[in-house]
mmCIF file of all heavy atoms in Angstrom:
data_model
loop_
_atom_site.group_PDB
_atom_site.id
_atom_site.type_symbol
_atom_site.label_atom_id
_atom_site.label_comp_id
_atom_site.label_asym_id
_atom_site.label_seq_id
_atom_site.Cartn_x
_atom_site.Cartn_y
_atom_site.Cartn_z
ATOM 1 N N PRO A 1 7.258 17.452 -28.572
ATOM 2 C CA PRO A 1 6.829 17.086 -27.217
ATOM 3 C C PRO A 1 7.641 17.852 -26.150
ATOM 4 O O PRO A 1 8.702 18.398 -26.448
ATOM 5 C CB PRO A 1 7.086 15.600 -27.142
ATOM 6 C CG PRO A 1 8.154 15.332 -28.142
ATOM 7 C CD PRO A 1 7.922 16.321 -29.266
ATOM 8 N N PRO A 2 7.133 17.862 -24.918
ATOM 9 C CA PRO A 2 7.844 18.542 -23.826
ATOM 10 C C PRO A 2 9.263 17.979 -23.671
ATOM 11 O O PRO A 2 9.508 16.788 -23.882
ATOM 12 C CB PRO A 2 6.997 18.268 -22.603
ATOM 13 C CG PRO A 2 5.636 18.045 -23.144
ATOM 14 C CD PRO A 2 5.858 17.330 -24.480
ATOM 15 N N ASN A 3 10.198 18.853 -23.276
ATOM 16 C CA ASN A 3 11.554 18.462 -23.059
ATOM 17 C C ASN A 3 12.059 19.188 -21.810
ATOM 18 O O ASN A 3 12.052 20.416 -21.765
ATOM 19 C CB ASN A 3 12.427 18.818 -24.279
ATOM 20 C CG ASN A 3 13.792 18.189 -24.210
ATOM 21 O OD1 ASN A 3 14.144 17.545 -23.215
ATOM 22 N ND2 ASN A 3 14.585 18.381 -25.244
ATOM 23 N N LEU A 4 12.452 18.435 -20.787
ATOM 24 C CA LEU A 4 12.896 19.052 -19.549
ATOM 25 C C LEU A 4 14.244 18.450 -19.152
ATOM 26 O O LEU A 4 14.454 17.256 -19.299
ATOM 27 C CB LEU A 4 11.885 18.778 -18.414
ATOM 28 C CG LEU A 4 10.457 19.257 -18.597
ATOM 29 C CD1 LEU A 4 9.607 18.110 -19.076
ATOM 30 C CD2 LEU A 4 9.884 19.788 -17.289
ATOM 31 N N LYS A 5 15.103 19.336 -18.627
ATOM 32 C CA LYS A 5 16.395 18.868 -18.151
ATOM 33 C C LYS A 5 16.773 19.699 -16.914
ATOM 34 O O LYS A 5 16.768 20.934 -16.976
ATOM 35 C CB LYS A 5 17.456 19.019 -19.227
ATOM 36 C CG LYS A 5 18.851 18.541 -18.793
ATOM 37 C CD LYS A 5 19.876 18.683 -19.921
ATOM 38 C CE LYS A 5 21.246 18.187 -19.505
ATOM 39 N NZ LYS A 5 22.223 18.321 -20.626
ATOM 40 N N ILE A 6 17.102 19.025 -15.837
ATOM 41 C CA ILE A 6 17.456 19.702 -14.599
ATOM 42 C C ILE A 6 18.759 19.080 -14.105
ATOM 43 O O ILE A 6 18.893 17.848 -13.997
ATOM 44 C CB ILE A 6 16.391 19.563 -13.521
ATOM 45 C CG1 ILE A 6 15.121 20.281 -13.945
ATOM 46 C CG2 ILE A 6 16.876 20.126 -12.176
ATOM 47 C CD1 ILE A 6 13.971 20.186 -12.972
ATOM 48 N N VAL A 7 19.743 19.958 -13.822
ATOM 49 C CA VAL A 7 21.005 19.513 -13.251
ATOM 50 C C VAL A 7 21.028 19.896 -11.791
ATOM 51 O O VAL A 7 20.843 21.070 -11.460
ATOM 52 C CB VAL A 7 22.198 20.158 -14.006
ATOM 53 C CG1 VAL A 7 23.523 19.691 -13.365
ATOM 54 C CG2 VAL A 7 22.154 19.816 -15.492
ATOM 55 N N LEU A 8 21.217 18.923 -10.902
ATOM 56 C CA LEU A 8 21.220 19.156 -9.478
ATOM 57 C C LEU A 8 22.657 19.281 -8.971
ATOM 58 O O LEU A 8 23.615 18.816 -9.598
ATOM 59 C CB LEU A 8 20.514 18.029 -8.751
ATOM 60 C CG LEU A 8 19.055 17.763 -9.189
ATOM 61 C CD1 LEU A 8 18.497 16.523 -8.496
ATOM 62 C CD2 LEU A 8 18.169 18.971 -8.869
ATOM 63 N N ASN A 9 22.778 19.907 -7.799
ATOM 64 C CA ASN A 9 24.121 20.155 -7.270
ATOM 65 C C ASN A 9 24.811 18.886 -6.726
ATOM 66 O O ASN A 9 25.986 18.929 -6.397
ATOM 67 C CB ASN A 9 24.074 21.215 -6.171
ATOM 68 C CG ASN A 9 23.352 20.754 -4.922
ATOM 69 O OD1 ASN A 9 22.570 19.777 -4.978
ATOM 70 N ND2 ASN A 9 23.576 21.397 -3.812
ATOM 71 N N ASN A 10 24.059 17.797 -6.634
ATOM 72 C CA ASN A 10 24.700 16.537 -6.253
ATOM 73 C C ASN A 10 25.188 15.747 -7.474
ATOM 74 O O ASN A 10 25.604 14.584 -7.341
ATOM 75 C CB ASN A 10 23.748 15.681 -5.417
ATOM 76 C CG ASN A 10 22.479 15.299 -6.164
ATOM 77 O OD1 ASN A 10 22.292 15.688 -7.331
ATOM 78 N ND2 ASN A 10 21.581 14.589 -5.515
ATOM 79 N N GLY A 11 25.076 16.382 -8.647
ATOM 80 C CA GLY A 11 25.571 15.740 -9.853
ATOM 81 C C GLY A 11 24.513 15.011 -10.646
ATOM 82 O O GLY A 11 24.748 14.652 -11.812
ATOM 83 N N LEU A 12 23.358 14.787 -10.085
ATOM 84 C CA LEU A 12 22.313 14.096 -10.810
ATOM 85 C C LEU A 12 21.788 14.944 -11.956
ATOM 86 O O LEU A 12 21.640 16.169 -11.802
ATOM 87 C CB LEU A 12 21.166 13.716 -9.876
ATOM 88 C CG LEU A 12 21.366 12.604 -8.874
ATOM 89 C CD1 LEU A 12 20.110 12.393 -8.054
ATOM 90 C CD2 LEU A 12 21.755 11.303 -9.556
ATOM 91 N N ILE A 13 21.495 14.310 -13.078
ATOM 92 C CA ILE A 13 20.869 14.976 -14.225
ATOM 93 C C ILE A 13 19.524 14.307 -14.409
ATOM 94 O O ILE A 13 19.402 13.095 -14.612
ATOM 95 C CB ILE A 13 21.723 14.826 -15.484
ATOM 96 C CG1 ILE A 13 23.107 15.485 -15.262
ATOM 97 C CG2 ILE A 13 21.009 15.481 -16.676
ATOM 98 C CD1 ILE A 13 24.073 15.277 -16.427
ATOM 99 N N VAL A 14 18.464 15.122 -14.349
ATOM 100 C CA VAL A 14 17.083 14.625 -14.462
ATOM 101 C C VAL A 14 16.513 15.104 -15.788
ATOM 102 O O VAL A 14 16.506 16.322 -16.054
ATOM 103 C CB VAL A 14 16.197 15.100 -13.279
ATOM 104 C CG1 VAL A 14 14.795 14.559 -13.419
ATOM 105 C CG2 VAL A 14 16.826 14.691 -11.955
ATOM 106 N N GLU A 15 16.052 14.198 -16.623
ATOM 107 C CA GLU A 15 15.518 14.546 -17.938
ATOM 108 C C GLU A 15 14.156 13.899 -18.143
ATOM 109 O O GLU A 15 13.906 12.777 -17.705
ATOM 110 C CB GLU A 15 16.479 14.121 -19.035
ATOM 111 C CG GLU A 15 17.847 14.781 -18.965
ATOM 112 C CD GLU A 15 18.793 14.231 -20.015
ATOM 113 O OE1 GLU A 15 19.393 13.173 -19.750
ATOM 114 O OE2 GLU A 15 18.918 14.844 -21.090
ATOM 115 N N ARG A 16 13.308 14.630 -18.884
ATOM 116 C CA ARG A 16 12.037 14.063 -19.400
ATOM 117 C C ARG A 16 11.922 14.538 -20.836
ATOM 118 O O ARG A 16 11.854 15.743 -21.116
ATOM 119 C CB ARG A 16 10.837 14.542 -18.569
ATOM 120 C CG ARG A 16 10.739 13.919 -17.190
ATOM 121 C CD ARG A 16 9.432 14.285 -16.488
ATOM 122 N NE ARG A 16 9.361 13.705 -15.177
ATOM 123 C CZ ARG A 16 8.912 12.469 -14.901
ATOM 124 N NH1 ARG A 16 8.511 11.711 -15.914
ATOM 125 N NH2 ARG A 16 8.877 12.010 -13.684
ATOM 126 N N LYS A 17 11.884 13.604 -21.738
ATOM 127 C CA LYS A 17 11.837 13.949 -23.159
ATOM 128 C C LYS A 17 11.234 12.805 -23.957
ATOM 129 O O LYS A 17 11.020 11.712 -23.448
ATOM 130 C CB LYS A 17 13.229 14.317 -23.671
ATOM 131 C CG LYS A 17 14.264 13.215 -23.513
ATOM 132 C CD LYS A 17 15.642 13.727 -23.952
ATOM 133 C CE LYS A 17 16.708 12.624 -23.719
ATOM 134 N NZ LYS A 17 18.056 13.091 -24.129
ATOM 135 N N GLY A 18 11.001 13.105 -25.223
ATOM 136 C CA GLY A 18 10.415 12.094 -26.089
ATOM 137 C C GLY A 18 8.903 12.150 -26.063
ATOM 138 O O GLY A 18 8.285 12.945 -25.356
ATOM 139 N N LYS A 19 8.311 11.267 -26.844
ATOM 140 C CA LYS A 19 6.850 11.261 -27.016
ATOM 141 C C LYS A 19 6.110 11.095 -25.706
ATOM 142 O O LYS A 19 5.113 11.757 -25.436
ATOM 143 C CB LYS A 19 6.469 10.169 -28.000
ATOM 144 C CG LYS A 19 4.996 10.120 -28.294
ATOM 145 C CD LYS A 19 4.682 9.024 -29.316
ATOM 146 C CE LYS A 19 3.167 8.967 -29.604
ATOM 147 N NZ LYS A 19 2.862 7.906 -30.600
ATOM 148 N N ASN A 20 6.617 10.210 -24.836
ATOM 149 C CA ASN A 20 5.949 9.931 -23.570
ATOM 150 C C ASN A 20 6.571 10.684 -22.408
ATOM 151 O O ASN A 20 6.207 10.450 -21.243
ATOM 152 C CB ASN A 20 5.978 8.410 -23.293
ATOM 153 C CG ASN A 20 5.208 7.632 -24.340
ATOM 154 O OD1 ASN A 20 4.150 8.054 -24.778
ATOM 155 N ND2 ASN A 20 5.760 6.488 -24.723
ATOM 156 N N SER A 21 7.554 11.549 -22.709
ATOM 157 C CA SER A 21 8.243 12.313 -21.652
ATOM 158 C C SER A 21 8.776 11.360 -20.597
ATOM 159 O O SER A 21 8.589 11.576 -19.391
ATOM 160 C CB SER A 21 7.299 13.336 -21.025
ATOM 161 O OG SER A 21 6.840 14.253 -21.998
ATOM 162 N N ALA A 22 9.445 10.332 -21.045
ATOM 163 C CA ALA A 22 9.955 9.327 -20.111
ATOM 164 C C ALA A 22 11.044 9.943 -19.228
ATOM 165 O O ALA A 22 11.838 10.794 -19.665
ATOM 166 C CB ALA A 22 10.526 8.141 -20.873
ATOM 167 N N LEU A 23 11.114 9.472 -17.987
ATOM 168 C CA LEU A 23 12.075 9.961 -17.021
ATOM 169 C C LEU A 23 13.427 9.261 -17.199
ATOM 170 O O LEU A 23 13.505 8.059 -17.352
ATOM 171 C CB LEU A 23 11.578 9.711 -15.590
ATOM 172 C CG LEU A 23 12.557 10.064 -14.459
ATOM 173 C CD1 LEU A 23 12.828 11.568 -14.403
ATOM 174 C CD2 LEU A 23 12.009 9.561 -13.117
ATOM 175 N N LYS A 24 14.480 10.092 -17.145
ATOM 176 C CA LYS A 24 15.835 9.555 -17.165
ATOM 177 C C LYS A 24 16.637 10.280 -16.064
ATOM 178 O O LYS A 24 16.718 11.532 -16.086
ATOM 179 C CB LYS A 24 16.491 9.760 -18.532
ATOM 180 C CG LYS A 24 17.953 9.305 -18.593
ATOM 181 C CD LYS A 24 18.566 9.618 -19.956
ATOM 182 C CE LYS A 24 20.014 9.210 -19.995
ATOM 183 N NZ LYS A 24 20.656 9.592 -21.300
ATOM 184 N N VAL A 25 17.192 9.531 -15.132
ATOM 185 C CA VAL A 25 17.972 10.097 -14.056
ATOM 186 C C VAL A 25 19.378 9.475 -14.142
ATOM 187 O O VAL A 25 19.539 8.265 -14.053
ATOM 188 C CB VAL A 25 17.374 9.815 -12.668
ATOM 189 C CG1 VAL A 25 18.231 10.442 -11.570
ATOM 190 C CG2 VAL A 25 15.942 10.370 -12.591
ATOM 191 N N THR A 26 20.390 10.340 -14.347
ATOM 192 C CA THR A 26 21.775 9.893 -14.455
ATOM 193 C C THR A 26 22.556 10.381 -13.270
ATOM 194 O O THR A 26 22.576 11.617 -13.003
ATOM 195 C CB THR A 26 22.422 10.375 -15.762
ATOM 196 O OG1 THR A 26 21.575 10.015 -16.857
ATOM 197 C CG2 THR A 26 23.801 9.785 -15.931
ATOM 198 N N ASP A 27 23.224 9.504 -12.527
ATOM 199 C CA ASP A 27 23.998 9.947 -11.382
ATOM 200 C C ASP A 27 25.416 10.314 -11.839
ATOM 201 O O ASP A 27 25.805 10.088 -12.970
ATOM 202 C CB ASP A 27 23.992 8.880 -10.299
ATOM 203 C CG ASP A 27 24.795 7.626 -10.656
ATOM 204 O OD1 ASP A 27 25.563 7.683 -11.622
ATOM 205 O OD2 ASP A 27 24.605 6.599 -9.984
ATOM 206 N N PRO A 28 26.232 10.921 -10.933
ATOM 207 C CA PRO A 28 27.565 11.410 -11.346
ATOM 208 C C PRO A 28 28.466 10.308 -11.879
ATOM 209 O O PRO A 28 29.364 10.584 -12.684
ATOM 210 C CB PRO A 28 28.118 11.962 -10.032
ATOM 211 C CG PRO A 28 26.942 12.332 -9.230
ATOM 212 C CD PRO A 28 25.887 11.307 -9.564
ATOM 213 N N SER A 29 28.248 9.068 -11.496
ATOM 214 C CA SER A 29 29.108 7.987 -11.990
ATOM 215 C C SER A 29 28.668 7.465 -13.322
ATOM 216 O O SER A 29 29.271 6.542 -13.859
ATOM 217 C CB SER A 29 29.124 6.845 -10.958
ATOM 218 O OG SER A 29 27.819 6.282 -10.831
ATOM 219 N N GLY A 30 27.561 8.031 -13.845
ATOM 220 C CA GLY A 30 27.083 7.599 -15.134
ATOM 221 C C GLY A 30 26.028 6.497 -15.043
ATOM 222 O O GLY A 30 25.481 6.089 -16.070
ATOM 223 N N GLN A 31 25.717 6.046 -13.831
ATOM 224 C CA GLN A 31 24.702 5.021 -13.667
ATOM 225 C C GLN A 31 23.300 5.649 -13.782
ATOM 226 O O GLN A 31 23.079 6.792 -13.363
ATOM 227 C CB GLN A 31 24.824 4.353 -12.296
ATOM 228 C CG GLN A 31 26.174 3.658 -12.100
ATOM 229 C CD GLN A 31 26.337 2.477 -13.052
ATOM 230 O OE1 GLN A 31 25.392 1.727 -13.304
ATOM 231 N NE2 GLN A 31 27.548 2.363 -13.612
ATOM 232 N N LYS A 32 22.379 4.909 -14.313
ATOM 233 C CA LYS A 32 21.017 5.385 -14.440
ATOM 234 C C LYS A 32 20.226 5.108 -13.159
ATOM 235 O O LYS A 32 20.522 4.128 -12.469
ATOM 236 C CB LYS A 32 20.318 4.752 -15.634
ATOM 237 C CG LYS A 32 20.877 5.176 -16.984
ATOM 238 C CD LYS A 32 20.097 4.574 -18.127
ATOM 239 C CE LYS A 32 20.654 5.047 -19.463
ATOM 240 N NZ LYS A 32 19.873 4.474 -20.616
ATOM 241 N N ALA A 33 19.249 5.969 -12.888
ATOM 242 C CA ALA A 33 18.386 5.771 -11.697
ATOM 243 C C ALA A 33 16.971 6.185 -12.090
ATOM 244 O O ALA A 33 16.708 6.524 -13.241
ATOM 245 C CB ALA A 33 18.918 6.582 -10.535
ATOM 246 N N GLY A 34 16.085 6.208 -11.132
ATOM 247 C CA GLY A 34 14.701 6.536 -11.436
ATOM 248 C C GLY A 34 14.075 7.402 -10.371
ATOM 249 O O GLY A 34 14.726 8.042 -9.557
ATOM 250 N N GLN A 35 12.696 7.415 -10.379
ATOM 251 C CA GLN A 35 11.930 8.270 -9.484
ATOM 252 C C GLN A 35 12.176 7.941 -8.027
ATOM 253 O O GLN A 35 12.164 8.812 -7.175
ATOM 254 C CB GLN A 35 10.435 8.152 -9.809
ATOM 255 C CG GLN A 35 9.564 9.135 -9.061
ATOM 256 C CD GLN A 35 9.839 10.584 -9.490
ATOM 257 O OE1 GLN A 35 9.912 10.892 -10.681
ATOM 258 N NE2 GLN A 35 10.061 11.455 -8.534
#
């Protein structure tokens, strides 16, 4: 399945992976966030 990973300059890491390409947003402190 598609796999995407983007690292932003504010430290956020945006990923879409897995069967449903679910969104995962991780902030610099390690906390998860969303769309």
Side-chain angles (χ1 to χ4, degrees):
N3 191 356
L4 302 97
K5 181 178 181 180
I6 295 179
V7 179
L8 303 175
N9 68 340
N10 61 0
L12 287 180
I13 299 174
V14 181
E15 298 176 276
R16 287 187 181 275
K17 58 185 177 180
K19 182 178 180 180
N20 297 320
S21 300
L23 174 67
K24 177 183 178 183
V25 180
T26 307
D27 69 15
S29 64
Q31 299 296 319
K32 292 184 179 181
Q35 188 64 49

